[in-house]
Amino acid sequence: MTAPTRPSATPVRGVASSRSLTDRTILRVALRGSLTKLDPRVQVRNPVMFVVYLGTIVTAIASIVHPSLFSWLVTVWLAFTVLFANFAEAMAEGRGKAQADALRRTRTQTEARRLRDDGTEERVPATQLVAGQLVVCEAGDVIPADGEITEGVASVDESAITGESAPVIREAGGDRSSVTGGTRVLSDRIVVRVTAGAGESFLDRMIALVEGADRRRTPNEVALSILLVALTVIFVPVVVVLEPYAHYAHVGIPIVDLVALLVCLIPTTIGALLSAIGIAGMDRMVQRNVLAMSGRAVEAAGDVSTLLLDKTGTITFGNRMASRFIGIGGVADGDVAAAGRLASLADETPEGRSIVKLAKDAYGLRDPVDPASLRFVPFTATTRMSGVDTDEGSIRKGATEAVKEWVRQQGGVIPVELDELSASIAREGATPLAVAAGDRVLGLIELRDVVKAGIRERFEQLRAMGIRTVMITGDNPLTASAIAAEAGVDDFLAEATPERKLELIREEQADGKLVAMTGDGTNDAPALAQADVGVAMNSGTVAAKEAANMIDLDSSPTKLIDIVEVGKQILITRGALTTFSIANDLAKYFAIIPALFVTAYPGLSVLNIMHLHSPESAILSAVIFNALVIVALIPLALRGVRFRPSSARSIIRRNVFIYGIGGVIVPFIGIKLIDLVLAATRAFS
């Protein structure tokens, strides 16, 4: 008897699902989009390609009036140039639309269990919910709208949004109280206050942004567009003037040849790919599970010069663990361990559990304790201590200053070496916790937060790009200084408060720098709003997500470094393709100008360095290459130029060498090969 087979798990595809450039669905959408974009109202948005569009119409009319194989071939390839440009943009948009469709499938027409004022429930369609209303969600329920948990704690499946199958914990009263409509509750019961009505939810905004409906051109993109328009405007009168000049030289230049020359001289390559580069940049952010609220934020990420990074969870693992017990004033280390363990038995924090574990591992302290004889004192931000009261006395552990004050209140004396030993531990990047029993300080517990492996190398790469890193921490300056030195950051802000973070950002911006930071709490909202690139954790509060211009769906503090790299890659890609586009006009010049005037001025034949077969094949070869190079560069525009951390000067030098010199050489080779093919067909003998 064979065992029943388990059904295979269906992979979860969230917003960040990456799609291949050869995805058939996207290709079909892009092919259809390349035709629908032929609408003049769409074409006019891209002035460079609109000139090509008008030129195609002019050559088509000329081909009808004076039909010839050459004029029709030029017309067809000019039409392909426009279609290929449309295809590039449609490909970029198609990837976003495919992801938007996946998000739409996560939306279900669900009923909400809305709470009335008297505490009873009523079932209503989720579309009727408005901000401020309370809804109840239990295990198995789909959360009907965006909101904040006001009561309870639950495990929530957010795979429809993030693509991550592991559930997350959401609870009331903290920085992890925010929930998203369309996610599913897996356990327990929560009460959620709705923060967004129908059509205004986080999921709706994600769909609009991923789909590109809200994409606006960035300032750099606008500036580059103005440059491209200016170059086009310069070449139009130059080409127009050639007609009377040719008439004076007793040379007739057909209108088809003039249009071909104009199209080959204006920056059609970057004009065709510019929009696709911008859309693809947003898409690459989404593939990293980052939702950018605007293209301006993505572009700013590439120009960032200062990064503000939280120490906990970004530079270090975040869980401080007990590493050793240190006795003071003749107290044995084991006695400190015994007292620290007793004070930590009810402490469920990672630090508290690590103290109990270290006491057991290092000193074998595992004797059972009668809970009835203990009265545990929880930690509070006011006292900065926790501990236990027994029939024999009281034990406290906590911040050194807080424990010192408590001992003084008990009438005790503070050992002289306490401050010196505490400072020594802090200088090493660890955190000292004092332990006291009654009126006597017993010793210290050393807690260490381990710096993540490889983080120092990442900071060195950022430094090579001219980016300054600043560590933000609530630790005291001594501890912060030690961790900053170990991690390799350029500067740090210790004992950070919301006001101090905001002040630091404004100081950096006053010096002309762009600043990026991450945050997840309500107290981070002012700084996130002030930063040029503010990245909020998806697990954070609604206030933080509203203030930020990017949201990290994975809630990973280290994602900020990846965001900067994607932003840099977008700028590098745009610059590289612009350099290539302008450089390859040189080869087209050597192909077309001799072809137009060689009859009147035979001396121009020396410019025919490619030895092209005939004037007609020279012009047509340049037009065909001009169209095909757009297709060849679409993958590069969508995937981006490979990013390598280095200084701006090195990046410019590499781009000029690869895409500048390459932009001159490649067209010579390409045009010559096309000319050989045309010559072999004997179409223009």
Side-chain angles (χ1 to χ4, degrees), residues 69-80:
L69 176 62
F70 170 75
S71 61
W72 277 114
L73 285 175
V74 170
T75 300
V76 169
W77 280 101
L78 290 181
F80 277 140

Side-chain angles (χ1 to χ4, degrees), residues 650-674:
S650 299
I651 292 173
I652 293 173
R653 186 166 52 246
R654 185 170 63 246
N655 281 351
V656 169
F657 179 76
I658 296 175
Y659 297 96
I661 298 177
V664 173
I665 296 174
V666 170
F668 278 97
I669 298 173
I671 291 174
K672 179 59 179 178
L673 291 175
I674 295 171

Side-chain angles (χ1 to χ4, degrees), residues 147-202:
E148 287 192 296
I149 299 175
T150 61
E151 178 185 328
V153 57
S155 175
V156 179
D157 176 13
E158 295 183 345
S159 59
I161 305 297
T162 66
E164 175 57 55
S165 58
V168 296
I169 301 299
R170 296 287 179 260
E171 58 186 340
D175 290 343
R176 296 184 177 270
S177 61
S178 175
V179 291
T180 305
T183 57
R184 185 179 297 275
V185 177
L186 299 180
S187 68
D188 302 293
R189 176 184 185 275
I190 54 175
V191 177
V192 178
R193 176 182 290 109
V194 177
T195 58
E200 302 174 349
S201 69
F202 182 57

Side-chain angles (χ1 to χ4, degrees), residues 1-216:
M1 182 177 179
T2 59
T5 58
R6 295 180 62 185
S8 60
T10 302
V12 178
R13 287 180 68 92
V15 65
S17 301
S18 177
R19 291 177 177 265
S20 169
L21 292 176
T22 57
D23 187 295
R24 292 183 179 180
T25 302
I26 294 178
L27 286 175
R28 283 196 298 268
V29 172
L31 288 171
R32 187 164 55 249
S34 62
L35 295 174
T36 59
K37 288 178 179 292
L38 290 175
D39 186 333
R41 293 170 296 182
V42 177
Q43 289 295 311
V44 76
R45 299 173 189 168
N46 187 337
V48 176
M49 297 312 300
F50 187 61
V51 170
V52 183
Y53 180 81
L54 293 178
T56 306
I57 296 174
V58 170
T59 58
I61 295 172
S63 299
I64 294 173
V65 175
H66 302 289
S68 69
L69 176 62
F70 170 75
S71 61
W72 277 114
L73 285 175
V74 170
T75 300
V76 169
W77 280 101
L78 290 181
F80 277 140
T81 304
V82 176
L83 288 172
F84 292 158
N86 292 347
F87 181 77
E89 185 174 1
M91 274 286 289
E93 291 176 349
R95 292 158 68 88
K97 284 183 170 63
Q99 291 166 338
D101 290 341
L103 285 172
R104 285 193 181 93
R105 288 193 291 271
T106 68
R107 294 195 299 190
T108 57
Q109 294 299 323
T110 184
E111 286 190 334
R113 297 162 57 185
R114 185 169 62 188
L115 284 178
R116 297 189 181 95
D117 293 338
D118 59 4
T120 59
E121 296 180 14
E122 61 176 339
R123 290 189 175 271
V124 299
T127 54
Q128 294 184 10
L129 295 175
V130 297
Q133 294 180 336
L134 298 177
V135 295
V136 176
C137 298
E138 294 181 325
D141 290 345
V142 174
I143 297 175
D146 294 357
E148 287 192 296
I149 299 175
T150 61
E151 178 185 328
V153 57
S155 175
V156 179
D157 176 13
E158 295 183 345
S159 59
I161 305 297
T162 66
E164 175 57 55
S165 58
V168 296
I169 301 299
R170 296 287 179 260
E171 58 186 340
D175 290 343
R176 296 184 177 270
S177 61
S178 175
V179 291
T180 305
T183 57
R184 185 179 297 275
V185 177
L186 299 180
S187 68
D188 302 293
R189 176 184 185 275
I190 54 175
V191 177
V192 178
R193 176 182 290 109
V194 177
T195 58
E200 302 174 349
S201 69
F202 182 57
L203 195 58
D204 290 315
R205 288 164 56 198
M206 286 175 66
I207 291 172
L209 290 164
V210 170
E211 197 171 30
D214 286 354
R215 195 188 93 86
R216 296 182 180 180

Side-chain angles (χ1 to χ4, degrees), residues 275-286:
S275 181
I277 294 170
I279 297 172
M282 298 282 283
D283 180 65
R284 284 198 294 277
M285 283 291 186
V286 171

Side-chain angles (χ1 to χ4, degrees), residues 621-636:
S621 296
V623 171
I624 293 174
F625 175 83
N626 195 59
L628 294 181
V629 75
I630 295 174
V631 179
L633 291 176
I634 287 177
L636 185 62

Side-chain angles (χ1 to χ4, degrees), residues 324 418-430 446 448 478:
R324 60 172 174 157
L418 177 62
D419 287 338
E420 182 179 345
L421 188 56
S422 296
S424 175
I425 292 173
R427 280 193 296 270
E428 296 174 0
E446 181 185 77
R448 285 194 174 274
L478 287 175

